[in-house]
Amino acid sequence: MKIDLAESFRKLNELDLNDLDFENVGSWPMPAKIVSCIMVLLLVLVLGYQLYLSDTLVGVEIEEGNEEQLKQAFRTKAFQAANLNAYRKQMEEMETEFAIRVRQLPSDTEVPGLLEDINFTATGSGLEISSIELQPEFAAAFHIELPIKINVQGTYHDLGNFVSGVASLSRIVTLHDFTIKPVGGDADSDLLDMEILARTYRYNDKGIVK
């Protein structure tokens, strides 16, 4: 059956809604039926989008965001896996270096020997030792610091040799807060009095901070 759409819509414009029997849709003219079907179809599409597709699209957007995060995580893990051997080698080198540094820190039983080394360095540099005194130790997170107060007299050259000798000891010793003044307050004297604070360290294997 051939339908003349132009003729159908012309008749629809002339149609009065009051003439339609809503209890008997089958008796409606063809143009009214077409329009009603189109409206029902549009209503179904709108309701279907609101009830089903809108939530689905939101879920798709969320999953797309998760996909990008997963891709980034994968790239990071792939890079780490590709460099795993290099990381392991670097860790082994760090552990070896750490062990070497720890061996350079004197233990409790080695402190007297360290004091003897400082005393020997001072006398070997031609200095006269007034005092070498241990100060209260201080515990940090990973090491224990042991200050040593040193007072010696000698020439400027001898003092320089002493400082250089202490810095060359096999154990880690750092020098701080030194004061130098002429012996007896005589500005023309070649002998100088030096007071200096040496600090040595040992590994704090308990990790306790005092």
Side-chain angles (χ1 to χ4, degrees):
M1 180 178 64
K2 184 177 180 180
I3 300 176
D4 189 344
L5 292 178
E7 179 65 20
S8 298
F9 282 107
R10 185 186 63 79
K11 292 180 179 180
L12 180 62
N13 290 332
E14 297 175 353
L15 184 65
D16 187 353
L17 292 178
N18 294 325
D19 296 334
L20 297 178
D21 184 1
F22 287 93
E23 294 182 357
N24 186 12
V25 179
S27 64
W28 288 6
M30 183 57 67
K33 292 180 179 180
I34 294 174
V35 172
S36 63
C37 288
I38 293 174
M39 293 179 65
V40 170
L41 178 60
L42 292 176
L43 180 61
V44 170
L45 291 175
V46 171
L47 292 177
Y49 176 82
Q50 294 294 331
L51 295 176
Y52 300 102
L53 292 182
S54 60
D55 292 340
T56 302
L57 292 176
V58 171
V60 170
E61 292 178 356
I62 294 175
E63 292 302 325
E64 287 177 348
N66 292 337
E67 179 185 10
E68 185 58 33
Q69 293 179 358
L70 291 173
K71 287 181 178 179
Q72 183 61 40
F74 175 79
R75 286 192 288 266
T76 301
K77 295 297 183 182
F79 177 80
Q80 293 175 346
N83 293 274
L84 182 59
N85 291 333
Y87 287 144
R88 287 176 175 171
K89 184 177 180 181
Q90 185 179 19
M91 181 61 68
E92 291 174 357
E93 293 174 351
M94 292 175 62
E95 290 176 349
T96 301
E97 181 67 19
F98 178 75
I100 293 174
R101 296 302 179 187
V102 168
R103 285 196 296 270
Q104 289 182 301
L105 302 177
S107 63
D108 288 333
T109 58
E110 293 174 318
V111 170
L114 177 60
L115 295 179
E116 291 179 4
D117 290 341
I118 294 176
N119 184 79
F120 178 79
T121 302
T123 56
S125 299
L127 299 178
E128 181 180 345
I129 302 173
S130 296
S131 61
I132 299 179
E133 301 175 354
L134 291 175
Q135 304 298 305
E137 64 181 21
F138 170 78
F142 300 104
H143 70 274
I144 296 176
E145 178 180 309
L146 178 61
I148 305 172
K149 188 177 180 180
I150 304 171
N151 185 250
V152 293
Q153 291 85 38
T155 65
Y156 183 82
H157 179 73
D158 293 339
L159 293 177
N161 288 336
F162 171 69
V163 170
S164 178
V166 172
S168 301
L169 293 176
S170 59
R171 300 298 179 181
I172 296 178
V173 180
T174 59
L175 299 175
H176 310 265
D177 306 331
F178 65 90
T179 58
I180 299 177
K181 58 185 179 182
V183 173
D186 184 359
D188 295 328
S189 175
D190 291 334
L191 292 178
L192 300 173
D193 181 270
M194 181 177 71
E195 187 175 281
I196 192 168
L197 183 67
R199 292 176 182 169
T200 188
Y201 311 87
R202 71 173 185 270
Y203 179 55
N204 186 3
D205 54 356
K206 297 181 180 180
I208 300 175
V209 179
K210 294 182 179 179

